[in-house]
PDB file of all heavy atoms in Angstrom:
ATOM      1  N   LEU S 916      38.489  61.081  71.371  1.00 95.00           N
ATOM      2  CA  LEU S 916      39.778  60.770  71.987  1.00 95.00           C
ATOM      3  C   LEU S 916      39.870  59.320  72.442  1.00 95.00           C
ATOM      4  O   LEU S 916      40.957  58.723  72.445  1.00 95.00           O
ATOM      5  CB  LEU S 916      40.018  61.705  73.203  1.00 95.00           C
ATOM      6  CG  LEU S 916      40.387  63.158  72.880  1.00 95.00           C
ATOM      7  CD1 LEU S 916      40.335  64.006  74.154  1.00 95.00           C
ATOM      8  CD2 LEU S 916      41.763  63.231  72.265  1.00 95.00           C
ATOM      9  N   PHE S 917      38.753  58.737  72.842  1.00 95.00           N
ATOM     10  CA  PHE S 917      38.800  57.361  73.325  1.00 95.00           C
ATOM     11  C   PHE S 917      38.588  56.346  72.192  1.00 95.00           C
ATOM     12  O   PHE S 917      39.380  55.396  72.029  1.00 95.00           O
ATOM     13  CB  PHE S 917      37.767  57.133  74.412  1.00 95.00           C
ATOM     14  CG  PHE S 917      37.709  55.710  74.889  1.00 95.00           C
ATOM     15  CD1 PHE S 917      38.695  55.212  75.732  1.00 95.00           C
ATOM     16  CD2 PHE S 917      36.706  54.847  74.454  1.00 95.00           C
ATOM     17  CE1 PHE S 917      38.671  53.888  76.155  1.00 95.00           C
ATOM     18  CE2 PHE S 917      36.675  53.524  74.869  1.00 95.00           C
ATOM     19  CZ  PHE S 917      37.654  53.028  75.730  1.00 95.00           C
ATOM     20  N   ILE S 919      38.535  56.427  68.735  1.00 94.00           N
ATOM     21  CA  ILE S 919      39.423  56.291  67.577  1.00 94.00           C
ATOM     22  C   ILE S 919      40.703  55.554  67.958  1.00 94.00           C
ATOM     23  O   ILE S 919      41.079  54.583  67.286  1.00 94.00           O
ATOM     24  CB  ILE S 919      39.723  57.668  66.943  1.00 94.00           C
ATOM     25  CG1 ILE S 919      38.482  58.171  66.204  1.00 94.00           C
ATOM     26  CG2 ILE S 919      40.934  57.600  66.006  1.00 94.00           C
ATOM     27  CD1 ILE S 919      38.666  59.477  65.486  1.00 94.00           C
ATOM     28  N   PRO S 920      41.407  55.935  69.035  1.00 93.00           N
ATOM     29  CA  PRO S 920      42.564  55.096  69.449  1.00 93.00           C
ATOM     30  C   PRO S 920      42.168  53.682  69.828  1.00 93.00           C
ATOM     31  O   PRO S 920      42.901  52.729  69.531  1.00 93.00           O
ATOM     32  CB  PRO S 920      43.147  55.852  70.648  1.00 93.00           C
ATOM     33  CG  PRO S 920      42.722  57.264  70.446  1.00 93.00           C
ATOM     34  CD  PRO S 920      41.362  57.181  69.821  1.00 93.00           C
ATOM     35  N   TYR S 921      41.023  53.526  70.479  1.00 92.00           N
ATOM     36  CA  TYR S 921      40.587  52.177  70.867  1.00 92.00           C
ATOM     37  C   TYR S 921      40.362  51.309  69.636  1.00 92.00           C
ATOM     38  O   TYR S 921      40.785  50.148  69.576  1.00 92.00           O
ATOM     39  CB  TYR S 921      39.325  52.259  71.699  1.00 92.00           C
ATOM     40  CG  TYR S 921      38.796  50.898  72.117  1.00 92.00           C
ATOM     41  CD1 TYR S 921      39.345  50.227  73.211  1.00 92.00           C
ATOM     42  CD2 TYR S 921      37.758  50.297  71.418  1.00 92.00           C
ATOM     43  CE1 TYR S 921      38.866  48.977  73.576  1.00 92.00           C
ATOM     44  CE2 TYR S 921      37.282  49.035  71.791  1.00 92.00           C
ATOM     45  CZ  TYR S 921      37.832  48.388  72.876  1.00 92.00           C
ATOM     46  OH  TYR S 921      37.367  47.158  73.245  1.00 92.00           O
ATOM     47  N   GLY S 922      39.670  51.869  68.647  1.00 91.00           N
ATOM     48  CA  GLY S 922      39.440  51.116  67.419  1.00 91.00           C
ATOM     49  C   GLY S 922      40.710  50.817  66.681  1.00 91.00           C
ATOM     50  O   GLY S 922      40.892  49.715  66.122  1.00 91.00           O
ATOM     51  N   ALA S 923      41.617  51.793  66.666  1.00 89.00           N
ATOM     52  CA  ALA S 923      42.882  51.582  65.967  1.00 89.00           C
ATOM     53  C   ALA S 923      43.763  50.555  66.667  1.00 89.00           C
ATOM     54  O   ALA S 923      44.487  49.781  66.010  1.00 89.00           O
ATOM     55  CB  ALA S 923      43.626  52.920  65.859  1.00 89.00           C
ATOM     56  N   PHE S 924      43.710  50.506  67.984  1.00 85.00           N
ATOM     57  CA  PHE S 924      44.563  49.578  68.751  1.00 85.00           C
ATOM     58  C   PHE S 924      43.891  48.213  68.947  1.00 85.00           C
ATOM     59  O   PHE S 924      44.483  47.312  69.559  1.00 85.00           O
ATOM     60  CB  PHE S 924      44.844  50.174  70.133  1.00 85.00           C
ATOM     61  CG  PHE S 924      46.015  51.102  70.173  1.00 85.00           C
ATOM     62  CD1 PHE S 924      45.896  52.421  69.785  1.00 85.00           C
ATOM     63  CD2 PHE S 924      47.265  50.642  70.597  1.00 85.00           C
ATOM     64  CE1 PHE S 924      46.970  53.273  69.817  1.00 85.00           C
ATOM     65  CE2 PHE S 924      48.348  51.504  70.613  1.00 85.00           C
ATOM     66  CZ  PHE S 924      48.225  52.824  70.221  1.00 85.00           C
TER      67      PHE S 924
END
Side-chain angles (χ1 to χ4, degrees):
L916 286 170
F917 176 76
I919 287 183
Y921 179 80
F924 275 81

